[in-house]
Amino acid sequence: MAALRALLRCVRGPLRPRLGCAALRAFASGADFQYLITEKKGKDGNVGLIQLNRPKALNALCNGLIMELNQALDAFEEDPAVGAIVLTGGEKAFAAGADIKEMQSRTFQDCYSSMFLSHWDRLARVKKPVIAAVNGYALGGGCELAMMCDIIYAGEKAQFAQPEILLGTIPGAGGTQRLTRAVGKSLAMEMVLTGDRISAQDAKQAGLVSKIFPVETLVEEAIRCAEKIASNSKIIAAMAKESVNAAFEMTLTEGNKLEKTLFYSTFATEDRKEGMTAFVEKRKASFKDQ
């Protein structure tokens, strides 16, 4: 909690105009980012790595950082070579929460009329699979950001929490909703109402995290998983992601109906034909993302 209170103010920069596809791919080099480091990873350069880089503030999620994150996501989303994305922070903190000093003086009217925090949802709308590699603190908005990703890998010393109650407010970027769906009502209610942290081990047992790794190998393992995902058909991976995510939004009957529709849709792709032909011919499939 002390980390949250000690976060420094982030200077809000001017909004950049939306860039074209080629410019976005060039922008992903990270040279123009103040709060991020981005690069392509994997032997084929098919993994986009985004590292939150505001270490003195424990990667507090100021507006400038979120705007840059959205631009990096746009760049990797539109890059045909990238099949999966890894989002990480530092060894001490993935992200210790929102920048409290930025929101301290906001009013209800200001929040409501400006749809405050709505631009955080870009991460949840990315079609390509996103893996969160969480070391250290994932508190408040940091925990919410991790939960917007499709897979969460955690370092052995990671800690997760929704401590907004201690600041006289509640989660505002999906914390009460995604956490409840991930760990169940009882644990989610305890975390939201007390602000208590849970360890990586408890998070894995509760279903919030899929795997735990040593701190020093966490990002490498996340990239390895992302490479495996990126080696498959990108269009089929997007369909699979859509179908799994629908399970949190639909009834079982509605979800099964959507799954069937997406399953049938794969038969309109060249990659489905190639995948099944390769299986029958006992060779490795060569997907073209078509």
Side-chain angles (χ1 to χ4, degrees):
M1 197 56 234
L4 276 176
R5 297 177 183 276
L7 298 179
L8 303 175
R9 177 183 296 273
C10 169
V11 178
R12 187 178 303 180
L15 300 183
R16 294 184 176 92
R18 181 162 179 82
L19 304 175
C21 184
L24 276 169
R25 287 198 290 272
F27 196 68
S29 67
D32 294 305
F33 289 131
Q34 181 178 356
Y35 304 114
L36 303 179
I37 298 173
T38 65
E39 56 184 314
K40 289 185 183 180
K41 290 289 190 178
K43 63 180 182 179
D44 297 321
N46 57 3
V47 175
L49 176 64
I50 302 174
Q51 180 181 1
L52 308 181
N53 187 40
R54 199 184 171 209
K56 291 183 179 180
L58 299 178
N59 291 332
L61 302 171
C62 62
N63 185 65
L65 188 153
I66 295 297
M67 295 299 296
E68 289 187 356
L69 175 59
N70 289 348
Q71 289 169 343
L73 290 169
D74 285 343
F76 285 137
E77 183 86 303
E78 297 187 30
D79 189 334
V82 172
I85 300 168
V86 172
L87 176 64
T88 192
E91 290 191 359
K92 188 174 182 180
F94 174 75
D99 193 314
I100 303 305
K101 289 186 178 181
E102 265 195 355
M103 64 174 68
Q104 182 181 7
S105 61
R106 285 185 175 270
T107 65
F108 162 75
Q109 291 84 352
D110 178 33
C111 291
Y112 188 79
S113 61
S114 67
M115 298 183 66
F116 183 49
L117 300 186
S118 61
H119 62 314
W120 285 39
D121 294 338
R122 176 68 185 97
L123 178 57
R125 297 195 303 272
V126 173
K127 285 185 176 295
K128 294 177 180 178
V130 183
I131 302 172
V134 178
N135 268 321
Y137 302 123
L139 312 180
C143 187
E144 291 172 309
L145 201 69
M147 290 190 292
M148 292 181 197
C149 298
D150 303 302
I151 299 169
I152 302 179
Y153 279 4
E156 292 173 326
K157 298 180 181 179
Q159 297 183 44
F160 300 84
Q162 296 293 159
E164 290 85 352
I165 193 79
L166 305 178
L167 301 178
T169 187
I170 69 170
T176 62
Q177 302 303 300
R178 291 189 177 94
L179 186 63
T180 304
R181 286 164 170 78
V183 305
K185 178 184 176 182
S186 182
L187 180 56
M189 194 71 81
E190 180 181 0
M191 291 175 66
V192 170
L193 293 180
T194 66
D196 287 349
R197 303 174 187 176
I198 62 171
S199 66
Q201 293 73 24
D202 289 339
K204 184 178 185 300
Q205 184 176 5
L208 181 62
V209 165
S210 58
K211 291 182 180 178
I212 299 175
F213 297 99
V215 171
E216 60 274 10
T217 64
L218 171 67
V219 175
E220 177 185 336
E221 293 291 347
I223 291 171
R224 183 175 289 114
C225 178
E227 278 191 277
K228 185 180 294 186
I229 292 170
S231 69
N232 296 315
S233 166
K234 295 180 185 63
I235 188 171
I236 301 301
M239 290 181 182
K241 172 175 174 172
E242 180 182 354
S243 190
V244 173
N245 281 335
F248 292 95
E249 307 287 344
M250 298 179 169
T251 65
L252 179 60
T253 299
E254 292 170 336
N256 280 333
K257 184 176 180 179
L258 174 65
E259 180 186 81
K260 283 290 191 300
T261 300
L262 289 170
F263 168 65
Y264 298 154
S265 297
T266 67
F267 284 77
T269 69
E270 292 298 317
D271 284 345
R272 192 282 313 168
K273 186 184 299 183
E274 164 63 13
M276 292 189 176
T277 300
F279 178 83
V280 172
E281 295 178 354
K282 295 181 171 57
R283 59 175 175 82
K284 184 177 180 180
S286 178
F287 296 119
K288 304 299 183 183
D289 305 319
Q290 296 177 351

